[in-house]
Amino acid sequence: GGTFTDLVLLEGDKVRTVKVQSTPGDPSEAVLRGLEALGGAEGVELIHGSTVGLNAMLTGEVAPTALVTNEGFRDLMEIGRQERPELYSLHPKKPAPLVERRRRFEVGQRAYPLDDGSLELAKRPKRAELRRLTERVRRSGAKSVAVCLLHSYADPGMEEEIARPLAAAGLSVTCSARLLAEHREYERFS
């Protein structure tokens, strides 16, 4: 992830390692070169960790990002879990939210979990709303979009439906349920 990309191959009780020059423009190139140096990737289960994303967050050098979520939940990322490092501080300092408020968008969608693990879809966005949403996101200057809906861990279909017109507009789109299919929305949104 930094200057070098390190690969570790565990075969039974044997461990092999290789270090290759990182390729910041496309980190996957370094991974592929490393796998080649290890003898190929057939049948290999790849577990990946990178400092690239962490470094981008720490330095603030990230693409302008938008968030699309349910009506009434655009401030969830800022509210968080109410955990504070200084519980009794009269003047606590909150970290800046991951997505600035002007790039957080709401969509008319609501689903409720049922006892059997499925969802009841109570409200879904219409095509015209998704067209307007896509245009608003584009006008915001965002280059990437996180689509994060309540209860999408149980059914990611609605996030995918919202993502399609955004991706078709040339935006890089990530659906929260693809990354972390967990029921705690703050963690999934983050």
Side-chain angles (χ1 to χ4, degrees):
T3 305
F4 295 100
T5 298
D6 301 294
L7 286 89
V8 178
L9 178 63
L10 178 62
E11 292 178 298
D13 60 348
K14 288 191 330 191
V15 176
R16 293 184 359 202
T17 63
V18 68
K19 182 182 289 279
V20 297
Q21 189 78 35
S22 290
T23 52
D26 184 355
S28 67
E29 290 177 15
V31 173
L32 291 172
R33 273 199 318 228
L35 288 171
E36 188 177 301
L38 286 169
E42 191 167 326
V44 171
E45 180 182 343
L46 187 64
I47 300 171
H48 176 257
S50 173
T51 59
V52 173
L54 177 61
N55 288 344
M57 294 295 294
L58 292 174
T59 62
E61 294 179 21
V62 295
T65 302
L67 169 75
V68 175
T69 191
N70 306 81
E71 286 177 338
F73 287 86
R74 79 180 200 171
D75 293 323
L76 181 79
M77 291 180 69
E78 204 159 343
I79 295 168
R81 291 261 175 244
Q82 296 298 317
E83 295 171 354
R84 298 180 299 278
E86 300 174 58
L87 186 59
Y88 299 106
S89 174
L90 295 176
H91 305 285
K93 292 183 177 136
K94 291 185 77 168
L98 296 171
V99 177
E100 59 189 317
R101 193 167 202 271
R102 72 181 189 88
R103 286 199 178 109
R104 292 184 231 151
F105 301 92
E106 297 177 336
V107 66
Q109 189 276 344
R110 185 70 85 216
Y112 300 95
L114 301 174
D115 290 338
D116 66 2
S118 65
L119 290 180
E120 177 182 329
L121 186 59
K123 185 177 182 184
R124 77 177 315 123
K126 299 196 179 347
R127 284 190 188 130
E129 181 182 2
L130 293 180
R131 282 193 301 273
R132 286 190 305 273
L133 169 73
T134 300
E135 186 52 36
R136 288 176 51 222
V137 170
R138 285 177 42 109
R139 282 196 319 262
S140 78
K143 302 294 181 210
S144 66
V145 184
V147 179
C148 307
L149 300 178
L150 298 175
H151 308 299
S152 62
Y153 63 89
D155 181 1
M158 186 54 64
E159 283 189 352
E160 302 290 341
E161 186 176 318
I162 292 168
R164 277 191 284 280
L166 294 164
L171 296 160
S172 174
V173 182
T174 302
C175 294
S176 72
R178 278 190 218 153
L179 291 181
L180 184 67
E182 292 289 330
H183 72 283
R184 309 261 327 199
E185 58 276 350
Y186 173 74
E187 288 75 11
R188 194 164 24 83
F189 285 23
S190 296

